[in-house]
Structure formats: C-alpha cells, structure tokens
Amino acid sequence: MKIDVVNEFMTLASLDSLSRREGSVAEYLIKRLRELHLAATVDDSALRTGSDTGNVMVRVPGNSPGPTVLLCAHMDTVGPRKDGPGIARRGDLQHGETVLGADDKAGIAIILSVLADLKDGGVPHPDLEVVFTVQEEVGLFGAKHLKAELKPLRLHP
C-alpha cells in the first residue's frame, strides 16, 4: 500500500486536534495502522493528562539486525482554528486562513508513508518503535506520562 504524503497530510490537516482533543487523529492513526497490518495500542496517559485519548504506540518487527529505531510525532496542533480546518490545496501548495497543522501532522504523514514503504518494499530495517503523543504544544504532557519501555531510550553501559 503506497501512501501519498501530501494527500495523507491533507487528510490529517482536515482533522481538528487541539491539545487535549487529539482523539480524532488517534482514531484515524489506529485505522491507518490496522490497514498496514500493524496493531496499535493506546496508553492510559489520558487519565493523567486530561486528553480525550492516550498516546498511540506501535512496534514494527525488523527484518534485519540493528539497534531499535524510534519514530515519534505529536498529534495536537496549536489553536485557534477558524470554523474547522479550512485547508485547501493549490497545485503543490497547501494554504488556508487558519492553523494549517503542519506541526506535526506533516511528521505523522511522513511516518505513515515510511511504514507503508517498509511493509510493501521489503526494505531491510531494524525493529521500529513508533509513538504518537498528545499535548506536545502545551507542555509535552503525553511524553511526560508515557510509561512504555522503549528500547531506543534504554541507556546501555
């Protein structure tokens, strides 16, 4: 399954996801990851952050040796939005009269595209851990409350 990064970004940009209201993006991510035959989990950080969802995580088994790689992006955007996303595409440019949401929906689109390419192309890669966090824009609260044991973050002697 090939993912067009620009189209993926435009879809993500159409989803409202102010801090503490990232649930629509989390639902979308879980659906897209399922289409890639990847099982996402959602942690219980929402209980501590007040978001309508927790952080979304997925582990992707590698097909070649190497250290585990972490890919991370956040689901929330700054505000305010002006009557919904209001994003349009003109040729290769995306524009609007409101917050575009490229920070960090462009990062999410790129990660999804990379995961699709890895699944389709048989490209050699080590294990991957992918994390999509909540509330980065208001204080990194999703990351602060992440309880997962992430291999790339382990300190080695």
Side-chain angles (χ1 to χ4, degrees):
M1 172 171 125
K2 188 78 174 159
I3 291 179
D4 179 283
V5 176
V6 174
N7 288 335
E8 191 70 26
F9 168 73
M10 293 296 289
T11 299
L12 286 159
S14 73
L15 302 173
D16 280 323
S17 60
L18 296 173
S19 299
R20 296 181 187 84
R21 296 193 313 237
E22 300 95 336
S24 62
V25 174
E27 287 177 25
Y28 178 80
L29 282 170
I30 291 165
K31 180 184 90 126
R32 292 297 272 158
L33 292 166
R34 192 177 304 127
E35 290 169 357
L36 294 171
H37 306 288
L38 296 170
T41 59
V42 179
D43 71 11
D44 66 354
S45 63
L47 299 171
R48 293 176 296 285
T49 65
S51 179
D52 61 357
T53 186
N55 299 305
V56 176
M57 296 166 291
V58 65
R59 289 191 161 98
V60 181
N63 58 13
S64 69
T68 301
V69 173
L70 174 68
L71 302 176
C72 185
H74 62 90
M75 297 182 279
D76 62 322
T77 59
V78 296
R81 299 288 282 209
K82 182 178 175 182
D83 297 326
I87 306 300
R89 184 173 179 180
R90 187 180 303 143
D92 289 336
L93 300 176
Q94 291 75 44
H95 63 93
E97 295 185 24
T98 186
V99 172
L100 181 62
D103 175 17
D104 193 22
K105 290 179 179 173
I108 294 172
I110 290 167
I111 289 172
L112 289 174
S113 178
V114 165
L115 294 177
D117 286 350
L118 292 179
K119 287 297 228 178
D120 282 351
V123 176
H125 65 88
D127 291 345
L128 303 175
E129 293 189 351
V130 184
V131 180
F132 300 101
T133 61
V134 298
Q135 295 187 43
E136 186 274 344
E137 298 291 354
V138 293
L140 299 167
F141 293 116
K144 288 176 185 173
H145 293 285
L146 185 67
K147 299 288 186 207
E149 291 256 345
L150 300 173
K151 289 180 188 177
L153 300 181
R154 290 190 194 140
L155 298 177
H156 298 283

